Amino acid sequence: ELEVALKVVIVGNGGVGKSSMIQRYCKGVFTKDYKKTIGVDFLERQIEVDGEEVRLMLWDTAGQEEFDAITKAYYRGAQACVLAFSTTDRDSFEAAHSWKLKVENECGEIPTVIVQNKIDLMDQTVVNPEEAELLARALGCKLIRTSVKEDLNVAAVFRHLASRCLAE
Ligand code: GDP
Ligand code: MG
């Protein structure tokens, strides 16, 4: 039986919760001060989607996104993308458009989900719900609101992407 393996890149400004999301999904943990393990490019998790076994490889950055210095190797061969911003970081929301272009430049059109993370902090939101919907529509992507901290909707992000990739 053929095994499907998908490289997924997780992009967005520093601090939005990308590393935490990968840790949460692949290891089932949430820590306040996650520091990237040196030498590990990605974590993986296997799931069953639409009757198929899919191995998801979630690629993390070592913080280069803050310096706009993500290498081509990071994007190479990526088949799906999570584009994340934070409920409490306006800049991260406004950067979403340029992240989308960057991924398109490196990978072409690949299935992408826009993730609004940290919805456990909705009482401190700096992005109103309509704006988030409009952004997703403008970028032609599904919007999923998550809390990595509370483990809300994280699995749904990766199920959706895997399902989209299998359908292609
Ligand atoms: P990255 O720079 O995008 O990789 O972000 P990190 O994963 O390092 O997370 C940045 C900070 O946000 C850390 O202190 C995390 O614990 C915190 N964080 C991540 N996800 C959530 C969430 O859903 N809710 C809250 N309240 N904090 C979060
Ligand atoms: Mg990180």
Side-chain angles (χ1 to χ4, degrees):
E1 191 178 308
L2 267 180
E3 187 202 47
V4 181
L6 297 175
K7 174 175 177 176
V8 183
V9 288
I10 325 277
V11 301
N13 283 10
V16 301
K18 302 182 299 297
S19 298
S20 302
M21 175 170 284
I22 294 167
Q23 288 279 116
R24 164 64 82 195
Y25 189 63
C26 297
K27 293 187 168 172
V29 297
F30 178 78
T31 47
K32 210 125 183 73
D33 306 293
Y34 166 71
K35 291 280 174 286
K36 183 180 166 11
T37 314
I38 310 291
V40 176
D41 294 324
F42 62 87
L43 291 179
E44 52 182 58
R45 176 167 170 180
Q46 190 159 328
I47 58 170
E48 196 191 306
V49 182
D50 308 331
E52 300 230 37
E53 287 297 319
V54 180
R55 189 157 60 92
L56 294 164
M57 293 170 289
L58 309 190
W59 284 61
D60 199 6
T61 66
Q64 307 98 315
E65 69 274 22
E66 300 197 41
F67 315 103
D68 202 13
I70 296 181
T71 60
K72 288 196 176 293
Y74 179 74
Y75 293 107
R76 192 169 299 131
Q79 290 141 294
C81 173
V82 174
L83 197 175
F85 68 91
S86 164
T87 299
T88 58
D89 178 350
R90 185 75 201 175
D91 286 347
S92 75
F93 172 74
E94 285 174 359
H97 230 107
S98 72
W99 280 113
K100 180 71 164 62
L101 292 176
K102 216 166 285 184
V103 173
E104 252 175 57
N105 258 340
E106 299 290 340
C107 310
E109 287 278 355
I110 54 175
T112 299
V113 169
I114 309 289
V115 165
Q116 175 175 355
N117 188 36
K118 308 197 187 184
I119 57 164
D120 55 289
L121 301 175
M122 217 49 168
D123 58 333
Q124 299 165 43
T125 190
V126 291
V127 179
N128 76 47
E130 297 74 32
E131 288 180 300
E133 303 284 354
L134 279 174
L135 170 74
R137 207 168 314 155
L139 298 182
C141 301
K142 184 177 176 70
L143 171 71
I144 300 183
R145 296 186 170 95
T146 66
S147 168
V148 170
K149 185 179 180 186
E150 313 276 335
D151 202 9
L152 288 173
N153 279 340
V154 175
V157 171
F158 297 103
R159 286 204 154 270
H160 177 78
L161 286 176
S163 187
R164 284 276 315 279
C165 289
L166 288 180
E168 283 194 341

